[in-house]
Each structure stands twice: as structure tokens, then as C-alpha cells.
Amino acid sequence: MTTSSYSPPAGDPWPEAANYPPPEVPQPGTGRPTPAPLFPEQPLPPVGPKGPASWSGRLRTLPVRAWRGRADDPRWVRPALLALMAATVVLYLWGLGASGWANAFYSAAVQAGSQSWKAFFFGSSDAGNFITVDKPPASLWPMALSVRLFGLSSWSILAPQALMGAATVGVLYATVRRRFSPLGGLLAGAALALTPVATLMFRFNNPDAMLVLLLTLAAYGMVRAVETASTRWLLFTGTMFGFAFLTKTLAAFLILPAFAVIYLVVAPTGFWRRLRQTLLSGLALVLSAGWWVAVVQLLPASARPYVGGSQDDSFLSLTFGYNGLGRVDGNERGSVGGGGHLPAGLDLPAGAMHNRGWGQTGITRLFGSDIGGQIAWLMPAALILLVVGLWATRRYGRPDTARAAFLVWGGWLISTALIFSFMSGIFHQYYTVALAPAVAALVGMGVDGLWRARHRLPYALLLAGVLAVTAGWAFVLLGRSSDFLPWLRWAVLVGGLAAAVALVAGQYVGGVSGRTGARIASVAGLVGVAAALGGPAAYAVDTVGTAHNGSIITAGPSVKGAFGPGSFGRKGGKGALGNGRMFGQGGQNGQGGWGGQGGFPGGQGGQGGQNGQGTHGQGGFPGGSGRGSGGGTAPGGRHERGTGGATGPGGATGFPGGFPGGQGPEGAGGPGGFAGGMGGLLGGTKVSDEAVALLSQDAGHYTWAAATTGSQNAASYQLATGKPVMALGGFNGTDPSLSLEGFQKYVQQGKVHWFIAGGSHRGFGGAGGEGGEGGQQTEAAQIEAWVTSHFTAKTVGGATFYDLTAPKS
């Protein structure tokens, strides 16, 4: 039995009774009534036999137990759960192959891991083991094993992510069901499955899918540990955090302090035992994550690939810098712009890249145009229900498991939301998938209690208020995508408000426990759930029907005024910036937009898109080609672009500081500005059949079929040919992964056949666009400059190649 300060009267059949919670009961010695608790004590599932001798029996009865579920569950519960799981699998697998390689950066590493066990272990970008991705490799391992089993394809890469999503829904249900009713667990699972950003990331190959699964498992372990002060389950929780660290480094620890404090405060045992158990859990974390870190740190650099994303070939500096504290304070060494800073004097359009390109910080950040439609549909309800849950359990005993559950999920939500709201470093909308389990759990738990207490008017009013707030907020979010199912926002609003009124009115129509009142409440509940989940469900379905690829992806349709939602990864409409590859035609951004079809990165700019007070004409921002048409003016003057270039301050053809230019007559970077294009930085490159044939010639005689700047560019050629391609400079092209002398040595040894020009982000004010004074040329830019001056260029399929085995005479 769980612990609580309240126990129901003997023989009372609740929690399944229709009048749950039971009526108020007299307080002993006073005769005054004491309100029945909103979340009363419930029995835990029976514990089966343990030990090796029990395994055969447990395996033999597994099919029956999987179908039947808990013995105290009504018979409809397990079929409903299995239906939810099946629907989630279908939703996440439907049309999965349309996204192609998704994020080619990680797909190339998966392909490398399927060819080389060394690349598999380190998470190398290529089978030649030149450089790793900028994350630990745990998320790559299931995908690489899938590719080894089923061959390289979009499905074999992405299907493990979809299955992780379904597993997360199942774990969330099990966690909520430990302390609450099946209704609460099912509602939590459905809310998670239909969260737009969850639908997006469980169909994509970034590390976030595995991260969320492992953190949800950690929450399950924490709930189990708190029930009986179980050391075994606390060790399980620490182990899950350790593997989550090997998935996405410090992102795994956003909720760790909250979990540690919660256990130290509420676990039903003495303080010193709680402290010892917590320290043991920390040891489990260190061991489960530290073994891999120790191998990487202790091996000499010559025996392993370069640690991608770091500036000193150290995984620890990557963890605490670019992937850690740098994300919070904005000082990410080696990120876009170097240290997270854009060039001095760069004046982008209002709202386009505020706060150095990663969105406006502040308490309302998660509810804004960029992010609201990704995660925030149920966040107001979750926050309200968190307060309700903590208030309702305020007088319960310290180790009460209902309050502990609200603390666990509330701690997850609050700690993560605050960090996301105020972090000033790299922040993408899809990061918010880390909030989805907590939001869904709080909604499921809170609604469970209020629904079964609805016969009492205050709780009915509270439940109706939560529903009305949710419907009103969905109306606002859907209004930001006014061209997307315009009827839906009104249906959600009217349905939600009508259901809220019916929940309260049902109190006066025969009573909730009467037949008429019960029917009214049931219909109102169904309509209310449909209204609450209608908006996110529509966004989720739209996400499933859209191919997503590149490094910046968002869920749902285009959103007016947003640098993101619906705009990256698809051809955008009004209010959209491109989708990893192109801006939408006529797209607006805030008061203006960034052009029409094409342009970010490497595409062709559009015509007449608004940009602040003026327009970009055809010609692309940045890395586009062609000259402007239909354009007006913009900061820095008229935009008639050369081959992807922009000149310096006050120039007639571009943004101050030359952000980011390329080679060409108008491709000069300004003082301290970027030179080199961004083509390929955020998305891959289309590789022609001619280029594939060229790179495949005699590729078996070389360690790397080619080298190029930037991991996305390299990944495109590697996935097209199946041959290792060296990614100079890593993801951003800025990692000091190889000096010019080192590259020259590789060329002399005959390890690299071709060099592909035009990789992403070829330098800060150096070669690749005649950068102005004050710029700093990267190692990758130095290598490209040496190659272009010592080898003859050859154009194949629109790309420029240099044969490194045939120097100029």
C-alpha cells in the first residue's frame, strides 16, 4: 500500500466508485467534517516472485499478463492501452521514408557505424574515423544496428526512433498508472503521443528521441524508488541518467537536481539512508556514463577520431563548453559566428535573428510564435493542475506518493522550462520535446483527480476552468496559422467552452451520480478531451504529412511572424522562412520577411518577400545566386546579390559585415565578417549521379574518397556514394580538426582522392569570399586555399572537384 495521511472507510469500494472521492467524513473528537482527499491512497500492483527461479514462470505468463494487465484493472483498460500504443506506432511510422536522410549529419554517422565498429563506438562521421559528431554516440547505436540488420535506408535509420516514441508513451502510462487511475495514464499517453514536437522528433534521427525515452524511464524509476525507499530502483534511475548523458551530454541533467532533492526530502526512510542511497545512485550514473568518457579521454588522439564540436579535441571541454554551459550563457566556442556572436555591425531585419539568432529569451519564450505550437498547447493546463495537485496534497504525510508524483513531474517541467526560457546560447524549437512527458503526465494526473471529484461543485468548476483555458489558448495558437484549417480554431473554442459549461450544469441535472447527470458528464468529458487535443492532433497529423530534413526542423504548419514553426523543412507560405532549404514564397517574418522561394542556405532567393522596410529580391539569403528583382531597400542598401555574396558596412549590395557571403563579384566580407557560404551548414547538398560516379572511381584505394568543409556537405556525398568523406572543421566547419600540414601529409600518403569545394562556412573573413580586415581564417579555409592554388578545378554535376593525386604542373 502507498502511504497517505488519509485512509478510506473500511469496505468503501472506491477508487472505482461513481461518487469518488467518498463523502466528507467526521473528524475524530470534533464532529466537524473533513474533506475527502482529491488523491486518496491506492493499492500498488501485486509484486510477483523474484529471483532466478521465477524467470521461467514470468516468461511463460508474459503474454497473458501483457494482455490482461493489472488484476485490479477493468477489462477495457489493457485493450485501450494496446490500441493507444498501436495508434502511436502507426502515427510515427506513417510515411516515414518521405524525410529521406532526415538530418544527414547523423545519418552519415549511422552509415559509418554500420561499416566500422570503431566508428560505431566513437560516433564517427565517417568510416575512416576522421571526426565524430558533436554528441556522444548512444543515440546512434540503435540506428547503426538497424542498418547492419536491414541495410541502409531512410526506414532502417528512422524506424528505431518511432519505436522509441511508442515505448516512451508506454513508459509514461506505466509511470502515471502506478499512483493514479487507468484514465489518467491513458490521457497522459495520448497527450504525449499527439504533442506536435514529439511527433516530429520521434520521426527524426536527432538524439532527442532516445534522450526523452531514457529520461522518462528515469522518472519511472524515481516514482518506484519513492514508494518504498528502494535502492534498486534508485540505482536504475541513476543508470538511466548515465545513458542519457551518453545521448546528449548535459541536456540529460536538466532534471537531475530536482529528482535528487525530491528523493532526499520525501523518501519513506531515515535521512542518512536517503543520503547514502542518493550517493549510490550518483555512482551508478558515473559508472554508466563514465566508462565511455574515460576511454575517449585516455586514448591518445592518434588512436581515435577528433572530438567533433570541440576546439581542443577534448570530450570534456565539448561537454562543459559548446554542448553544456555555452548553451546557457551563449559562449559556445566554435558555433556559428564563433563564440555564438554574429559579426559586429550586423543589422538583420527586426525579429529575424534576435538574441544572436536563437530567439528572444524570457518567461514567455515557450509561448511565443516560434515555440508555442510545438509544445505549449497543454502547458497552461499542466501548470494549473500542478498547483492544484500540490495544494490538494499539502496536508498529506511527507512520503505520500501522490504528492511525490506531482513533485517529480512538476520538478521536471519547471526546471527544464526555466532553463529553456532564459538560455541565450543555441536553442532550437525541437529542444522542447524534453518538456512533453512532464506536461502530459501532469495533465493526466490532474484531470484524473478532478474528473472523479466532479460531483463536488468546486472541483467541477476547477475542471471546467482548466478546460476553458485550454480551449481558449488553442484558439490563440491556431490563429497564428490562420490558413491552416481555419474552422478548427472555432470548433475547438466552441466545443471546449460548451463542455466546460456542461460539466458544471450537470451538477444540477439529476446529480452527477444519477443517470442523466452521468450521461451529460460523459459526453462533456469526451467533447472536452477532443477540444483539448484537437489542435495538437491536427498539428501532429500535418507534421506526419510533411517531409523534414536538415538541421533545423519544426512541427506543424507555417506560423505568422515566426522564425521557425512550419517554415524549416518545407516550402513555406505566408509567414514562413524556408524549411532548412528554402524560404517560402512571399514569406513574412515579424513586420517583414526574408524573401520568397529559395535561399537558406545555398538556394535561389525569391521575389518580393518583405524584409523590414524593404525587400530581398531574387538572389537568396545567404549563399543564393542571381540578381534582385522586385526588391526595395533593406539595411545596408539595395540587395542585388552576386554569387551568394554581401559587401561590408554601408555597401550598396548587402548587410553590414558581409553575413555570410561566398565567392563572386559581390562576395566580399566586411570588417571581421564571415566569408565563405553557409550552403550546406543547415542542410545537405544535392549530389548528382555524375559526382557519385566520379567519387566511386577507385574509392577502395583511399581512406577517404573525398574531403570537404563541413559535416553536412560531407554527409551528402558520403550517403550518396557509401564511401567515407572527410568533414574538415566538423559541423560548422570551424573545428581545428586538422592543420594544413596534416592535410598535406594525408595527400602525400595518398589517403584522400578528391577535394570538393564550396563546403559550409568556409572561414571568418578569409579565403572563400575575400573577407575584410579583422577576420580569422580557419584551418579548413587554409586547406581549401592551398588546394585551389595547387590543384586543377573540375566541374562535375554543378560541383567543383580537385583531384588531389594530380597537382598542377
Side-chain angles (χ1 to χ4, degrees):
M1 296 286 288
T2 60
T3 56
S4 174
S5 61
Y6 175 83
S7 296
D12 196 309
W14 61 271
E16 300 300 338
N19 64 338
Y20 170 85
E24 297 179 347
V25 294
Q27 191 174 18
T30 65
R32 292 194 300 270
T34 299
L38 192 60
F39 305 102
E41 183 181 21
Q42 293 194 61
L44 295 175
V47 178
K50 294 183 173 65
S54 69
W55 281 107
S56 60
R58 293 173 67 84
L59 290 174
R60 186 173 61 255
T61 60
L62 180 61
V64 174
R65 289 185 291 111
W67 173 253
R68 179 61 184 90
R70 286 172 51 164
D72 57 338
D73 278 348
R75 288 193 174 276
W76 59 266
V77 171
R78 189 47 59 105
L81 174 61
L82 294 177
L84 172 62
M85 298 290 292
T88 303
V89 170
V90 172
L91 179 68
Y92 290 171
L93 288 177
W94 190 270
L96 196 60
S99 292
W101 300 123
N103 190 341
F105 176 60
Y106 292 115
S107 290
V110 169
Q111 181 248 12
S114 70
Q115 295 180 341
S116 162
W117 286 112
K118 182 177 180 179
F120 177 92
F121 180 84
F122 289 107
S124 301
S125 292
D126 60 277
N129 289 289
F130 171 68
I131 194 171
T132 71
V133 297
D134 57 4
K135 301 291 186 298
S139 67
L140 304 174
W141 292 340
M143 293 183 283
L145 292 174
S146 175
V147 170
R148 283 183 179 269
L149 287 173
F150 304 108
L152 181 65
S153 70
S154 178
W155 265 80
S156 62
I157 291 175
L158 299 180
Q161 309 294 93
L163 296 178
M164 288 180 196
T168 305
V169 170
V171 173
L172 182 65
Y173 168 84
T175 309
V176 173
R177 179 65 185 100
R178 291 290 302 179
R179 182 57 179 81
F180 301 88
S181 75
L183 173 67
L186 290 169
L187 181 57
L192 173 61
L194 294 175
T195 301
V197 71
T199 304
L200 174 72
M201 297 314 296
F202 286 127
R203 294 168 50 86
F204 206 70
N205 59 333
N206 278 23
D208 302 78
M210 189 170 185
L211 174 70
V212 172
L213 171 59
L214 290 169
L215 293 183
T216 307
L217 285 167
Y220 178 81
M222 177 58 61
V223 168
R224 294 293 301 267
V226 167
E227 289 173 356
T228 58
S230 169
T231 302
R232 178 167 60 99
W233 281 107
L234 202 60
L235 293 175
F236 172 85
T237 299
T239 302
M240 292 302 100
F241 274 116
F243 281 105
F245 175 85
L246 290 183
T247 301
K248 206 175 178 183
T249 58
L250 295 187
F253 294 167
L254 296 184
I255 63 176
L256 179 61
F259 278 27
V261 170
I262 290 166
Y263 189 83
L264 285 171
V265 171
V266 306
T269 188
F271 172 76
W272 293 111
R273 182 167 184 262
R274 279 177 267 154
L275 182 60
R276 289 194 301 271
Q277 289 175 314
T278 303
L279 293 175
L280 285 174
S281 180
L283 179 61
L285 186 159
V286 171
L287 293 176
S288 58
W291 64 274
W292 186 88
V293 177
V295 170
V296 174
Q297 289 296 116
L298 295 177
L299 276 178
S302 59
R304 58 168 175 79
Y306 184 91
V307 178
S310 72
Q311 299 301 293
D312 56 2
D313 198 17
S314 168
F315 179 77
L316 292 179
S317 68
L318 171 68
T319 298
F320 294 102
Y322 175 68
N323 272 345
L325 300 179
R327 301 290 174 114
V328 177
D329 60 21
N331 294 317
E332 311 106 334
R333 292 183 60 208
S335 69
V336 182
H341 297 277
L342 297 179
L346 180 59
D347 186 17
L348 296 181
M353 276 194 171
H354 45 280
N355 197 47
R356 290 182 288 185
W358 310 117
Q360 186 64 50
T361 60
I363 198 68
T364 62
R365 184 185 207 178
L366 300 181
F367 300 91
S369 297
D370 282 3
I371 300 173
Q374 308 294 296
I375 185 63
W377 299 89
L378 299 176
M379 280 187 67
L383 292 170
I384 294 171
L385 292 170
L386 171 60
V387 174
V388 170
L390 294 177
W391 177 260
T393 59
R394 68 191 185 282
R395 292 193 177 97
Y396 288 18
R398 177 179 57 81
D400 180 79
T401 53
R403 181 170 57 189
F406 277 103
L407 289 172
V408 166
W409 294 111
W412 178 329
L413 175 61
I414 297 301
S415 59
T416 305
L418 287 176
I419 293 173
F420 283 174
S421 296
F422 292 98
M423 60 187 288
S424 58
I426 295 175
F427 181 79
H428 299 307
Q429 294 93 328
Y430 65 79
Y431 288 179
T432 56
V433 70
L435 294 166
V439 171
L442 288 169
V443 168
M445 296 187 306
V447 170
D448 173 47
L450 292 178
W451 172 253
R452 293 191 292 173
R454 68 189 182 279
H455 70 289
R456 294 164 61 181
L457 184 59
Y459 291 133
L461 288 171
L462 189 54
L463 180 59
V466 170
L467 180 55
V469 168
T470 302
W473 177 234
F475 181 82
V476 172
L477 290 176
L478 289 168
R480 295 174 179 174
S481 306
S482 56
D483 295 332
F484 174 72
L485 302 178
W487 58 268
L488 180 61
R489 64 193 301 245
W490 291 103
V492 165
L493 180 64
V494 173
L497 295 180
V501 171
L503 284 171
V504 178
Q507 303 290 317
Y508 304 99
V509 183
V512 174
S513 59
R515 179 173 298 180
T516 302
R519 287 177 177 175
I520 292 175
S522 296
V523 173
L526 291 173
V527 173
V529 170
L533 298 182
Y539 264 52
V541 171
D542 180 83
T543 301
V544 169
T546 303
H548 293 86
N549 46 59
S551 298
I552 303 179
I553 55 169
T554 53
S558 303
V559 175
K560 183 178 181 180
F563 184 84
S567 53
F568 289 105
R570 62 163 53 193
K571 180 177 179 180
K574 182 178 181 181
L577 282 123
N579 184 353
R581 292 176 297 179
M582 60 174 65
F583 293 118
Q585 291 182 333
Q588 296 182 359
N589 181 24
Q591 298 178 350
W594 279 7
Q597 183 176 4
F600 193 15
Q604 184 181 39
Q607 301 181 2
Q610 293 183 355
N611 179 17
Q613 298 177 350
T615 61
H616 281 293
Q618 184 174 4
F621 179 91
S625 61
R627 301 185 69 83
S629 61
T633 61
R638 182 182 175 90
H639 281 257
E640 294 186 358
R641 311 297 295 271
T643 307
T647 62
T653 58
F655 287 113
F659 174 81
Q663 294 181 344
E666 297 170 0
F674 298 115
M678 279 183 74
L681 175 60
L682 300 181
T685 303
K686 184 174 178 58
V687 180
S688 66
D689 293 339
E690 295 84 355
V692 171
L694 180 70
L695 293 177
S696 299
Q697 293 176 6
D698 300 323
H701 294 90
Y702 303 89
T703 304
W704 295 278
T708 189
T709 302
S711 294
Q712 287 284 16
N713 200 41
S716 297
Y717 286 97
Q718 180 170 303
L719 290 167
T721 62
K723 310 300 181 184
V725 176
M726 178 185 289
L728 296 169
F731 182 83
N732 297 317
T734 59
D735 296 348
S737 53
L738 186 65
S739 66
L740 174 59
E741 292 75 13
F743 185 78
Q744 291 171 337
K745 183 177 180 181
Y746 279 143
V747 172
Q748 292 170 1
Q749 294 172 344
K751 292 187 176 182
V752 189
H753 191 178
W754 298 94
F755 185 90
I756 308 170
S760 65
H761 212 107
R762 293 191 306 253
F764 299 93
E770 299 185 29
E773 52 194 325
Q776 179 180 356
Q777 195 175 41
T778 65
E779 284 84 349
Q782 296 175 27
I783 290 171
E784 182 161 356
W786 175 75
V787 169
T788 56
S789 62
H790 288 79
F791 300 88
T792 303
K794 178 179 182 180
T795 302
V796 177
T800 304
F801 294 82
Y802 294 86
D803 187 349
L804 299 180
T805 65
K808 292 179 180 178
S809 56

